[in-house]
Amino acid sequence: MRTISESRCFGGVQGVYAHASDATNCEMTFGLFLPEEAEFGPVPVLWYLSGLTCTHENAMVKAGAQKWAAEAGVALVFPDTSPRGDEVPDHPSYDLGHGAGFYINATEQPWAGHYRMWDYIAEDLPRVITANFPIEDERQSICGHSMGGHGALTLAMSLPGRFRSVSAFAPISHPTASDWGRKHFLNYLGTDEATWAPHDATLLMRERGFEGEVLVDQGTADPYLNALMPEALAEAMCTRRQPGAVRMQRGYDHSYFFIASFMGDHIAFHAEALHR
Amino acid sequence: MRTISESRCFGGVQGVYAHASDATNCEMTFGLFLPEEAEFGPVPVLWYLSGLTCTHENAMVKAGAQKWAAEAGVALVFPDTSPRGDEVPDHPSYDLGHGAGFYINATEQPWAGHYRMWDYIAEDLPRVITANFPIEDERQSICGHSMGGHGALTLAMSLPGRFRSVSAFAPISHPTASDWGRKHFLNYLGTDEATWAPHDATLLMRERGFEGEVLVDQGTADPYLNALMPEALAEAMCTRRQPGAVRMQRGYDHSYFFIASFMGDHIAFHAEALHR
């Protein structure tokens, strides 16, 4: 692992690091915020998964998350959204290839050699951060935006016991039924839709749910509502009696101005679970 | 004036607008955050001037300012840092030309036709925002970062009665004696150093000071300390008995991680003066 930068931030340290990943078979970059408490011992951690076209940097600089994390004494991890590099296959469209890993392990060519973002987030990066930083691996929660909300919800429901709480900003909620999902699953996973189902938050909610609380915020002025399908997830949550909330926020769009506006709520929500 | 975008943010609206500027003789873009209170009547305004290489966008997305402004009921204006466009002369170095207007009116060629950022901030943009938005022109304060801290301090001291309070993050404090300043003054204003003095915060502080309070934050790990020269401004402030503070913040650098960490303090400082 190598250090790209470290800056003091709200009394803690906002770092950017790179490491060789076995999962994605390339160098990966991530951001990590450590609150001041980390100088004295291990701290809980909140994962933040970003959306299409984003890198490790977007939320790190635009979400205003460090203030709340510093107050809560919680570390933040900001992974990249796909493998990167000249040797990693890409695609001309903005929502496939670089910046669009979709938090799944691709099985189709030309993607299968590098696009293993599920394993990267579930196995590889956790090893790196717990080996190199004072992170309590018993106290983890996860959140994300859009494609990253999809990732957070599917990882949280598929890895019981790993995360204490999960939240999402405008998540891709039902990708097997949406333009944001079907295209990716077809390219990365192939034509057998049975392989898609484990990566659909609504289907997972119907089938198993989450043992902790779930918080979802969705702007009513989001231009991507048709692709996000929050109504499917809300219906599944209520049908299952899943503890949590889907909040429709009047007038907010899909931008980081929306995310920043509710980041304080989300980190307070996770901090309560993490410090329990 | 035309609207480029408007996003709901912390209950208010973060907009981006463009307009033809008489001062800079080109189209200028700016960001404006209006808190929810602006729906019901005019609100006070805090100007934020950005640093070298920045646009209207940097602070708008990276400083976390809207949260605090929403709480304080204060509007925020984020002007660009120079004239822009193919017809506007530029320079290959990062710190001259586009993104480096230095908040002065250039008198030398090829700059004089467009580089009139003093007039733009002091006269042109105030007219645009008070004509188009519910802004109280009797309640204004100003802050900035680096080159923008220089702009905020020099404008505040040179326009008595305009601003109720002034603050700066890592300002260029003594540009007539610094690499960040002499190069710009020579190019934009020419060889007569008498024309430079009205644009040096330390010299203005020695000569006249500011009628309100002055708040300056400076990171001790800032790699540009030699060019910023906070010691000159601090000495001038104390010698004058200027009400205010220069705070040396341990371990912080020159980045927006530093700015975001203390933005809450700065907006609270300005809100106290604006709501008095």
Side-chain angles (χ1 to χ4, degrees), chain A residues 6-12 14 60-64 66-68 71 250-253 255 257-258 260-262, chain B residues 6-12 14 60-64 66-68 71 250-253 255 257-258 260-262:
Chain A
E6 291 185 325
S7 295
R8 189 155 293 279
C9 185
F10 288 101
Q14 177 61 61
M60 189 181 91
V61 301
K62 297 199 291 187
Q66 292 90 349
K67 174 206 151 43
W68 308 107
E71 284 187 11
R250 184 195 301 271
Y252 287 88
D253 61 22
S255 70
F257 297 121
F258 158 62
S261 298
F262 298 100
Chain B
E6 291 185 326
S7 295
R8 189 155 294 278
C9 185
F10 287 100
Q14 177 61 60
M60 189 180 91
V61 301
K62 297 199 293 187
Q66 293 90 349
K67 175 207 153 41
W68 308 107
E71 284 186 12
R250 184 196 301 272
Y252 286 88
D253 60 22
S255 70
F257 297 121
F258 157 62
S261 298
F262 298 100

Side-chain angles (χ1 to χ4, degrees), chain A residues 13-96:
Chain A
V13 176
Q14 177 61 61
V16 178
Y17 310 93
H19 67 108
S21 165
D22 292 335
T24 62
N25 194 23
C26 65
E27 186 177 74
M28 297 293 290
T29 303
F30 66 96
L32 177 73
F33 172 74
L34 287 176
E36 190 171 12
E37 287 85 341
E39 292 176 25
F40 310 106
V43 293
V45 62
L46 174 62
W47 292 73
Y48 181 98
L49 304 186
S50 272
L52 287 167
T53 76
C54 290
T55 68
H56 69 281
E57 196 180 22
N58 296 62
M60 189 181 91
V61 301
K62 297 199 291 187
Q66 292 90 349
K67 174 206 151 43
W68 308 107
E71 284 187 11
V74 168
L76 300 168
V77 192
F78 303 101
D80 204 346
T81 58
S82 78
R84 304 273 178 183
D86 292 342
E87 78 284 12
V88 174
D90 198 5
H91 190 275
S93 67
Y94 78 95
D95 63 348
L96 208 60

Side-chain angles (χ1 to χ4, degrees), chain A residues 33 35-38 41-46 67-76 134 136 138-141 163-165 266-276:
Chain A
F33 172 74
E36 190 171 12
E37 287 85 341
V43 293
V45 62
L46 174 62
K67 174 206 151 43
W68 308 107
E71 284 187 11
V74 168
L76 300 168
E136 278 187 274
E138 294 299 304
R139 294 178 190 261
Q140 300 189 53
S141 288
F163 300 107
R164 296 196 174 194
S165 49
H266 283 240
I267 293 187
F269 164 80
H270 291 295
E272 193 177 312
L274 289 167
H275 290 304
R276 194 173 292 147

Side-chain angles (χ1 to χ4, degrees), chain B residues 190-203:
Chain B
T191 53
D192 178 5
E193 297 198 17
T195 66
W196 302 6
H199 296 286
D200 183 304
T202 293
L203 299 182

Side-chain angles (χ1 to χ4, degrees), chain B residues 127-210:
Chain B
R127 271 197 300 268
V128 170
I129 62 169
T130 54
N132 290 281
F133 301 97
I135 298 289
E136 278 187 273
D137 63 358
E138 294 300 304
R139 293 177 190 264
Q140 300 188 54
S141 289
I142 191 165
C143 67
H145 172 229
S146 198
M147 176 182 76
H150 144 77
L153 290 164
T154 54
L155 282 152
M157 286 188 272
S158 302
L159 300 171
R162 173 74 64 92
F163 300 107
R164 297 196 173 192
S165 48
V166 58
S167 77
F169 302 89
I172 298 177
S173 297
H174 194 17
T176 61
S178 160
D179 289 342
W180 273 355
R182 295 190 63 82
K183 173 181 178 179
H184 309 83
F185 292 159
L186 190 62
N187 276 273
Y188 294 145
L189 301 177
T191 53
D192 178 5
E193 297 198 17
T195 66
W196 302 6
H199 296 286
D200 183 304
T202 293
L203 299 182
L204 287 169
M205 182 57 70
R206 287 179 191 159
E207 180 197 303
R208 58 174 79 174
F210 179 66

